[in-house]
């Protein structure tokens, strides 16, 4: 008899917004200082620079929401990654051949290779604390998997 146990792991977003706001205030301060030192700091330039820098804040907010909405769902037979409520990956635990660390665009990820030689990149850092439990559960269900975590 199968149990319908579902483990839902939420992305950890501690410090992401602080980091983004810190970068914003740093670049904003440097931009204003540059205008001031060049003697081009007028009210019009200040308003234009402030309005255009708000684009950065909007993009940061969208990225934060995307990271915050990520979920890793470990069901009895599937590992599912959702972003904004949509399934990004839904892979069968029994199709997993290898699970190892990798990099995509300089960011550390978990590469999961399936039997069909398809590689799926799952984010590592937002789920850093959950990967140990996930890998243990996957290894328990699929004895032939190669784990390199």
């Amino acid at each position: 008899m199968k149990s319908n146990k579902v483990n839902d792991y939420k992305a950890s977003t501690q410090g992401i917004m602080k980091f983004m706001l810190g970068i914003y205030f740093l670049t904003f301060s440097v931009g204003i200082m540059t205008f001031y030192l060049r003697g081009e700091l007028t009210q019009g330039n200040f308003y234009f620079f402030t309005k255009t820098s708000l684009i950065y804040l909007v993009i940061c907010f969208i990225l934060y929401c995307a990271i915050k909405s990520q979920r890793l769902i470990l069901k009895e037979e599937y590992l599912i990654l959702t972003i904004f409520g949509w399934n990004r990956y839904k892979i069968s635990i029994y199709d997993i051949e290898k699970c190892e660390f990798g990099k995509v665009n300089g960011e550390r990820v978990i590469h999961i290779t399936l039997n069909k030689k398809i590689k799926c990149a799952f984010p590592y850092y937002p789920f850093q604390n959950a990967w140990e439990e996930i890998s243990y559960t996957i290894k328990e269900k699929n004895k032939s998997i190669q784990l390199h975590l």
Side-chain angles (χ1 to χ4, degrees), residues 1 17 26 29 38 46 65 92 99-100 103 105 132 137:
M1 177 180 262
M17 194 56 107
L26 178 70
S29 301
R38 291 171 135 187
F46 179 76
C65 290
S92 172
C99 193
E100 61 190 347
K103 286 202 174 204
N105 296 329
E132 186 175 321
T137 307

Side-chain angles (χ1 to χ4, degrees), residues 22-44:
I23 296 296
Y24 171 74
F25 286 122
L26 178 70
T27 56
F28 188 79
S29 301
V30 169
I32 294 300
M33 289 301 295
T34 303
F35 275 135
Y36 178 76
L37 293 175
R38 291 171 135 187
E40 298 174 359
L41 185 60
T42 63
Q43 190 173 10

Side-chain angles (χ1 to χ4, degrees), residues 71-73 79-83 86-91 118-123:
R71 301 274 187 275
L72 269 178
I73 302 167
L79 179 62
I80 303 167
L81 173 66
T82 63
I83 301 173
W86 296 311
N87 288 351
R88 171 76 169 113
Y89 294 117
K90 181 178 182 180
I91 59 174
I118 298 172
K119 274 192 175 182
C120 302
F122 283 78

Side-chain angles (χ1 to χ4, degrees), residues 22-78:
I23 296 296
Y24 171 74
F25 286 122
L26 178 70
T27 56
F28 188 79
S29 301
V30 169
I32 294 300
M33 289 301 295
T34 303
F35 275 135
Y36 178 76
L37 293 175
R38 291 171 135 187
E40 298 174 359
L41 185 60
T42 63
Q43 190 173 10
N45 282 348
F46 179 76
Y47 285 140
F48 177 74
F49 184 68
T50 304
K51 287 177 186 177
T52 55
S53 67
L54 290 177
I55 295 170
Y56 173 80
L57 289 178
V58 170
I59 291 172
C60 283
F61 181 73
I62 292 170
L63 285 173
Y64 175 77
C65 290
I67 293 169
K68 187 76 173 165
S69 72
Q70 287 182 343
R71 301 274 187 275
L72 269 178
I73 302 167
L74 184 61
K75 291 188 175 182
E76 191 66 33
E77 296 182 6
Y78 291 100

